[in-house]
Amino acid sequence: MPETGAAVHLQDQLEILIQDFRTSTEPPMPVFVVHAQDSADDDAVTGLVRQLYTGQEAHGTRCAVAQDVYEGPTEVRRAAAMVRALSDPKKWGGPKAVYRRYAFPRLRLVHAIDDAVAALGDTWPAPAPGSPEAGQDQRQRLLDQLARQRWRPKGTARWRSGLPLFDMAHILPASLVTVLAALLARSDWFVAVAAGLAFLLLLTVLNYVLPGRAPIFLWLRRESRWFMTTTFLRAADQDDPTEVSLLRPVRSWKAIAARAYDVAEALTAGGDFHLQLCVLALREDLRDNHRRWSWDLRGFKRPRPPMLFLPHADDRNGGIELIRAISDVRSRRSELDPLLVVAAVRSDEVPRLERGVVRTAPDPEPVPPRFGERLRTWYREWARDLRAEQSPSRERSVLPWVMKIPLPHDQLGPVEERHRHLRAATRPTLARLVWALHTLVLVTVLLAAGTVMRADSLQDRYCSASVLTANRDTRLERTPGGDTECIGIATGGVRFADWLPAPKPSDEIRTLTADDETPWTVDELEDRIAGQNADVLARHSGKYVTVVYAGPLSADPAGSSFVKGAEELAGVHLAQAVINKNSSVKLRVLVANGGVDLGHQKEMAKAIAAYAADDPTVVGVVGTGRDLESSRATTRTLLEAGLPVVSGTNSATYLPREFANWFSLAATDEWQIEQLGLIAAQLRRPDRRQYGLVLARDTANTDDLYTDEQARYGQEMLRRQGFARLEPRRYVLSGGKPELRSHAQEICRGGRVPSVIYFAGRVEDIDPLMTQLGTEPGCAGKPLSILTGDDLSKADFTAGGQSVAPKVTLYHAALAELESAATKTTFYLSAAAYLPGLQGRRVRYDSPALASGQTALAHDATRALYWAATRDDRPQSRASTWVNLRSVEIEGMATGTIDFTRAPLYGDRTGHSIVLKRVRRAADGTADTRVLCSRTAGDTKPLTVKECRIR
């Protein structure tokens, strides 16, 4: 703390100025030059300045103190060296200074040009004739040197904090713009962030790593804008551009290069220009560091002006020249700057300052005022006269910004009584409170609101979402009926059963009775599969393969089954349980849902492909059991992901012909209908004209391709068998029910009543059709044969689920011959052991839960894919699995022998399982079902008319 009377009064005067500065009155900040009236007191004045420095540092003022000696050939150069030392932010502000350190980009730019000129030496800009430098472009030489220095002063770090990412006033905003652009393009958030980070890394490499070039966005930096707009500098060549523009980088770069060359030439000329330019840059940097309406309101957060203390201002350190330069630059500029200078000058060097506040000795006063009152009077007089003293026409107005303060001997002694000195208000500024705490609260509230909105958005889009993130392997989609279903591949605890509606009492199936379809639920199957998966990952890491089941696992109240994929999922789980029980290479199963009737199977396939890209253990897909218009796109997506598909029930004819990754256990539609032609041939009587009709469900507003294929191949089959074909008919659905009454009337009441109808519809439509045929005159009570495909294998005629009209005979194909294969397989024993609802029960091929063959086909498909993925008892890659599938030959499966060895590329294979059944109405009104002929899987012997006799 101050120890002398003069120090106390000067400290009070400084605090008065600080208080005025704090209250935004922007008082002019003089250069206080203190000197002793007696040369014997010079050292005491020096000590006084140091006391002031110590006191201001304790108050939290950002202070810098100059050394006694600076290197340089002249006093001006030593003054410039002093200014250069002040460009180090560490020179300003002690531990009590608030807010962050100062930045001096303008001053560093001037030093960079000065260092480039010094590095070029005396050969620039006028090299000796005949020297290598004489033939070079001197401007380019300067720019090359600046590029080597990265437009920085020599000896400075390439970046301030060790990592280049923190010195990017423009690179970071550019990267954020990239992120926003990616988000506006509807990219995933992680894609947007990755794009921003990649752009950030690219610009960082270009900005910091590549040698010999100027930094990117140099033309947008604040020091470059100042460099081009200050009136202190003027381009020598008026044809050169003189401004920088955001949208004109090339022109801006040329302007900066031209201005740098002009400044460099001026620096080589010597004189006061170098010092004054450094002082101007220092002044502008300090003004910017205290600019109140900046983005961070830093001027409000720095309520105390910066102070420079010169304990020895003399020719050794250039202090007097620095004082003169500060005054000259301030006189040339119209803006106030916050720098307050306190300098001590020896009494014999005071004349070098030429002018002071007190021009003549004051008249004697009866009672001399105290020194503090005189000090304040001198300051008011100096401020009042400042405008006139800066006038260019005023004689000898050289140092108008200097306020000389002579110190008498009695003010340099220790004070006898210590008193409390003045101190500017120390409470935090409003900006620090508002822009820190309150802004933080506001930002927090906004972030919280944004987080809630984002969470709500994620909850609406994804099946499993938290506050900020979501499981993107599954997402929510709308069903045709307006309900919500979960689509994708279940990972991370997602269960498709969670999105199934609670079943009605009539739909609840839990115990095995004569009326049961499936005694298990999707929830039970998913839980058991998850348990198997957890055991595989925990105990058999690196010794397993992953198979994805892709099927319809959404609720379909209007369909023949509440969840159509439940039977297939049971077969996949059964295969997993058996394999993991008996094999060293384990099977992990992931479940994927394509929605009701696989209506969203394209989205499901994309989710599977995306997941498989990150999980090399995924070797293939089981399922995709419906033939839809989207089946091609689905299979192509999986093909591009390198995933083979083994389907149990998809009977599409075109898929094995178009896709090398397609393998199916189901007989194709074309081949099925060829076998049904054996029945049609027996129904045809050559002695009379018989009509054949194709009745198909309308698919105009759906993507059902199975029905179209059935109708097309059925029409061709009737033509080959010699039936007079009637115009095909299409019936529509209304409220989920088929509208067949008008068709039945036209079919039965016309003059050409068909004797054979090929029904290209779904199993749920068979009851309404039988009702109409059994009551419509012209058809009721008359012989009529109906042929149809494998979808009717889902019907349960024995349990009364479906019925047959009187005199109507129904012939249909089924994909799985279970009875003949039952004696050669352990499938039913395994089903009783592992499937929910069947434990401990006697299970047969004709048990209601398994009779449709859906479970058996899914089981066999999974076993075939697993066999290919674990050849030689080792996990195989995805590509190897695909190749190995063509060598699969497994006996003892639920449907017979699975044999892909004779499956040609892009062609039809043989050896499908097939059953041709006849259903008639019995005398008691029930349905009588009989197998006409069949083949188990692997049997390539063709069916014959004799073998499939209907009489």
Side-chain angles (χ1 to χ4, degrees):
M1 295 300 293
E3 298 291 338
T4 64
V8 170
H9 295 301
L10 283 169
Q11 192 74 275
D12 290 346
Q13 182 61 42
L14 293 178
E15 292 297 323
I16 292 173
L17 290 176
I18 292 170
Q19 184 62 37
D20 291 342
F21 180 82
R22 183 187 182 97
T23 56
S24 74
T25 58
E26 294 186 354
M29 296 296 181
V31 178
F32 287 112
V33 174
V34 293
H35 62 91
Q37 290 182 345
D38 188 349
S39 60
D41 294 326
D42 286 341
D43 292 339
V45 173
T46 298
L48 179 144
V49 173
R50 295 191 184 278
Q51 292 174 26
L52 294 176
Y53 167 73
T54 302
Q56 286 300 317
E57 190 177 39
H59 289 177
T61 303
R62 293 180 179 269
C63 305
V65 60
Q67 300 177 4
D68 294 340
V69 179
Y70 287 90
E71 296 181 358
T74 64
E75 189 174 352
V76 171
R77 294 297 296 185
R78 289 192 288 273
M82 181 187 297
V83 178
R84 180 173 190 136
L86 296 175
S87 65
D88 183 0
K90 296 180 181 179
K91 295 286 185 181
W92 299 83
K96 295 185 178 181
V98 297
Y99 207 47
R100 61 175 187 257
R101 288 176 176 172
Y102 283 152
F104 297 96
R106 299 164 183 81
L107 191 52
R108 286 164 59 87
L109 177 60
V110 174
H111 295 331
I113 298 175
D114 185 40
D115 288 347
V117 172
L120 293 173
D122 297 336
T123 62
W124 190 92
S131 64
E133 293 83 2
Q136 300 178 15
D137 184 350
Q138 301 305 310
R139 176 180 292 189
Q140 191 59 45
R141 286 183 63 199
L142 174 68
L143 295 179
D144 290 343
Q145 179 60 35
L146 284 169
R148 284 190 289 271
Q149 297 175 199
R150 306 285 300 167
W151 288 71
R152 300 183 184 90
K154 282 192 172 182
T156 57
R158 297 192 68 177
W159 43 74
R160 297 173 187 166
S161 56
L163 291 175
L165 302 181
F166 295 97
D167 191 19
M168 298 182 175
H170 300 288
I171 290 180
L172 286 176
S175 302
L176 290 177
V177 169
T178 304
V179 171
L180 292 176
L183 289 175
L184 291 176
R186 295 188 177 182
S187 299
D188 291 328
W189 69 267
F190 51 86
V191 175
V193 172
L197 291 177
F199 192 64
L200 175 66
L201 180 61
L202 173 64
L203 294 182
T204 302
V205 170
L206 294 177
N207 196 54
Y208 289 96
V209 177
L210 296 182
R213 61 174 308 282
I216 289 181
F217 301 126
L218 175 66
W219 48 282
L220 290 180
R221 293 184 174 182
R222 52 185 172 176
E223 60 268 31
S224 299
R225 293 196 298 271
W226 165 80
F227 197 52
M228 297 307 301
T229 56
T230 178
T231 57
F232 189 84
L233 303 173
R234 183 177 63 88
D237 188 356
Q238 297 301 318
D239 294 332
D240 286 333
T242 59
E243 62 180 0
V244 293
S245 171
L246 175 65
L247 302 179
R248 307 183 73 175
V250 175
R251 179 181 177 88
S252 301
W253 164 247
K254 290 180 178 179
I256 295 173
R259 181 60 54 89
Y261 182 78
D262 294 338
V263 171
E265 279 191 321
L267 291 177
T268 60
D272 294 341
F273 174 77
H274 181 200
L275 175 59
Q276 293 194 359
L277 181 58
C278 290
V279 170
L280 174 65
L282 173 65
R283 173 182 179 275
E284 293 299 324
D285 281 331
L286 290 174
R287 289 183 68 242
D288 187 52
N289 282 308
H290 283 268
R291 187 160 54 92
R292 298 193 170 186
W293 299 111
S294 55
W295 70 270
D296 57 350
L297 303 180
R298 52 183 173 268
F300 290 103
K301 297 178 182 180
R302 292 166 174 160
R304 303 178 74 88
M307 294 187 186
L308 173 60
F309 292 91
L310 305 175
H312 293 96
D314 51 24
D315 57 350
R316 293 180 302 167
N317 58 13
I320 292 181
E321 286 299 329
L322 176 59
I323 293 172
R324 298 164 69 86
I326 292 174
S327 182
D328 290 343
V329 170
R330 282 179 169 177
S331 296
R332 294 180 60 176
R333 308 297 295 173
S334 60
E335 304 93 346
L336 295 173
D337 65 79
L339 180 61
L340 200 158
V341 182
V342 179
V345 178
R346 302 182 68 85
S347 57
D348 57 349
E349 292 188 344
V350 173
R352 294 184 60 190
L353 300 175
E354 297 192 12
R355 292 186 64 85
V357 175
V358 184
R359 294 183 293 274
T360 59
D363 296 334
E365 298 182 9
V367 179
R370 298 175 60 188
F371 180 78
E373 295 176 0
R374 284 183 287 164
L375 185 60
R376 285 187 283 276
T377 300
W378 291 343
Y379 176 78
R380 286 194 295 271
E381 291 179 359
W382 171 84
R384 185 181 63 243
D385 297 339
L386 181 61
R387 182 183 303 173
E389 293 293 341
Q390 293 185 94
S391 173
S393 62
R394 188 71 174 263
E395 293 183 2
R396 297 178 60 78
S397 294
V398 180
L399 303 176
W401 283 88
V402 174
M403 178 178 170
K404 291 190 302 180
I405 303 175
L407 300 178
H409 177 75
D410 61 343
Q411 291 296 321
L412 296 174
V415 293
E416 296 181 359
E417 295 183 2
R418 299 286 298 272
H419 70 281
R420 185 177 182 84
H421 60 275
L422 298 178
R423 183 175 181 179
T426 58
R427 66 181 184 278
T429 61
L430 182 62
R432 287 190 63 199
L433 295 175
V434 173
W435 199 238
L437 180 61
H438 293 78
T439 302
L440 178 62
V441 172
L442 177 61
V443 170
T444 302
V445 171
L446 293 176
L447 286 176
T451 300
V452 171
M453 294 176 62
R454 175 174 173 78
D456 185 64
S457 174
L458 293 176
Q459 293 286 348
D460 290 339
R461 295 172 60 190
Y462 299 101
C463 306
S464 176
S466 61
V467 176
L468 294 176
T469 61
N471 182 330
R472 297 177 183 270
D473 294 328
T474 52
R475 61 188 309 141
L476 299 177
E477 300 288 351
R478 291 290 178 183
T479 66
D483 295 327
T484 300
E485 56 184 346
C486 182
I487 304 299
I489 180 170
T491 60
V494 174
R495 297 286 187 274
F496 294 118
D498 296 339
W499 296 92
L500 298 177
K504 299 176 183 178
S506 59
D507 295 326
E508 290 182 350
I509 302 169
R510 292 296 182 271
T511 59
L512 188 59
T513 66
D515 297 330
D516 283 336
E517 292 181 358
T518 53
W520 52 76
T521 64
V522 174
D523 190 14
E524 291 170 335
L525 294 174
E526 284 189 301
D527 285 344
R528 294 197 176 200
I529 290 173
Q532 291 273 344
N533 291 343
D535 182 71
V536 168
L537 294 175
R539 301 172 56 188
H540 305 281
S541 178
K543 194 70 173 177
Y544 69 91
V545 293
T546 302
V547 168
V548 179
Y549 165 70
L553 294 175
S554 296
D556 183 17
S560 61
S561 176
F562 187 65
V563 179
K564 293 185 178 181
E567 294 183 45
E568 290 184 336
L569 184 61
V572 175
H573 164 59
L574 178 57
Q576 180 190 29
V578 173
I579 288 169
N580 290 345
K581 176 69 174 179
N582 302 293
S583 302
S584 60
V585 180
K586 305 303 178 181
L587 177 62
R588 174 171 168 250
V589 173
L590 295 179
V591 182
N593 181 26
V596 174
D597 289 334
L598 289 179
H600 292 287
Q601 66 170 343
K602 287 195 295 184
E603 292 83 353
M604 174 190 67
K606 291 177 182 178
I608 294 172
Y611 179 84
D614 297 326
D615 188 351
T617 68
V618 177
V619 293
V621 176
V622 171
T624 64
R626 281 181 68 90
D627 182 16
L628 306 172
E629 290 183 2
S630 57
S631 294
R632 280 190 174 90
T634 298
T635 309
R636 185 176 295 109
T637 298
L638 299 175
L639 172 72
E640 293 170 352
L643 293 169
V645 182
V646 182
S647 178
T649 59
N650 193 325
S651 58
T653 303
Y654 60 91
L655 288 177
R657 297 175 181 178
E658 297 181 12
F659 297 97
N661 67 323
W662 180 262
F663 301 82
S664 180
L665 307 188
T668 63
D669 294 324
E670 184 178 22
W671 189 78
Q672 284 183 51
I673 295 174
E674 286 180 3
Q675 310 315 304
L676 287 171
L678 301 175
I679 308 297
Q682 300 176 63
L683 296 173
R684 177 75 176 96
R685 294 185 179 180
D687 57 341
R688 62 180 181 179
R689 185 179 181 87
Q690 289 177 277
Y691 294 98
L693 171 70
V694 173
L695 179 63
R697 179 188 281 194
D698 183 59
T699 59
N701 297 321
T702 70
D703 62 349
D704 180 9
L705 209 56
Y706 168 83
T707 297
D708 292 339
E709 282 210 331
Q710 287 278 320
R712 178 160 58 91
Y713 293 127
Q715 185 84 345
E716 293 176 0
M717 183 268 292
L718 293 176
R719 177 186 59 80
R720 287 196 304 268
Q721 298 302 331
F723 287 91
R725 291 178 298 166
L726 299 175
E727 189 69 24
R729 290 182 171 274
R730 294 273 183 168
Y731 64 89
V732 298
L733 299 181
S734 177
K737 299 298 180 181
E739 292 185 347
L740 291 166
R741 182 174 180 178
S742 60
H743 292 285
Q745 289 175 348
E746 294 177 8
I747 291 171
C748 299
R749 296 180 183 181
R752 298 182 295 178
V753 177
S755 61
V756 175
I757 296 176
Y758 190 87
F759 180 64
R762 293 291 180 176
V763 63
E764 54 265 27
D765 301 337
I766 196 67
D767 267 353
L769 176 63
M770 292 297 178
T771 299
Q772 295 299 326
L773 294 178
T775 58
E776 187 61 41
C779 290
K782 296 181 180 180
L784 179 64
S785 297
I786 297 177
L787 304 180
T788 188
D790 63 86
D791 199 60
L792 264 291
S793 61
K794 303 173 188 176
D796 186 8
F797 293 102
T798 60
Q802 277 80 22
S803 62
V804 180
K807 299 293 184 178
V808 173
T809 304
L810 177 67
Y811 301 93
H812 72 89
L815 296 177
E817 167 52 273
L818 301 180
E819 182 178 1
S820 299
T823 59
K824 302 177 183 179
T825 184
T826 60
F827 172 77
Y828 301 100
L829 293 175
S830 300
Y834 296 111
L835 289 182
L838 298 183
Q839 287 93 339
R841 298 181 181 271
R842 186 172 180 270
V843 182
R844 290 166 37 91
Y845 64 89
D846 55 355
S847 296
L850 305 174
S852 69
Q854 304 282 312
T855 302
L857 288 166
H859 166 273
D860 290 0
T862 306
R863 294 290 295 269
L865 182 56
Y866 171 81
W867 189 96
T870 57
R871 189 171 182 175
D872 300 327
D873 206 25
R874 292 182 302 170
Q876 302 290 304
S877 68
R878 195 174 301 162
S880 298
T881 300
W882 187 341
V883 173
N884 294 341
L885 272 169
R886 299 203 176 273
S887 61
V888 168
E889 185 176 5
I890 315 175
E891 295 186 4
M893 294 293 100
T895 60
T897 299
I898 308 304
D899 186 2
F900 292 149
T901 59
R902 291 186 294 273
L905 274 174
Y906 306 110
D908 300 331
R909 74 178 184 91
T910 58
H912 295 291
S913 177
I914 187 71
V915 181
L916 298 184
K917 293 184 177 182
R918 183 185 67 192
V919 185
R920 286 178 173 174
R921 188 182 182 95
D924 59 358
T926 61
D928 177 36
T929 301
R930 176 191 167 194
V931 175
L932 296 178
C933 54
S934 65
R935 288 284 185 270
T936 59
D939 188 348
T940 59
K941 182 181 177 181
L943 294 173
T944 63
V945 172
K946 181 178 180 181
E947 185 179 5
C948 302
R949 288 193 306 250
I950 62 175
R951 297 182 181 87

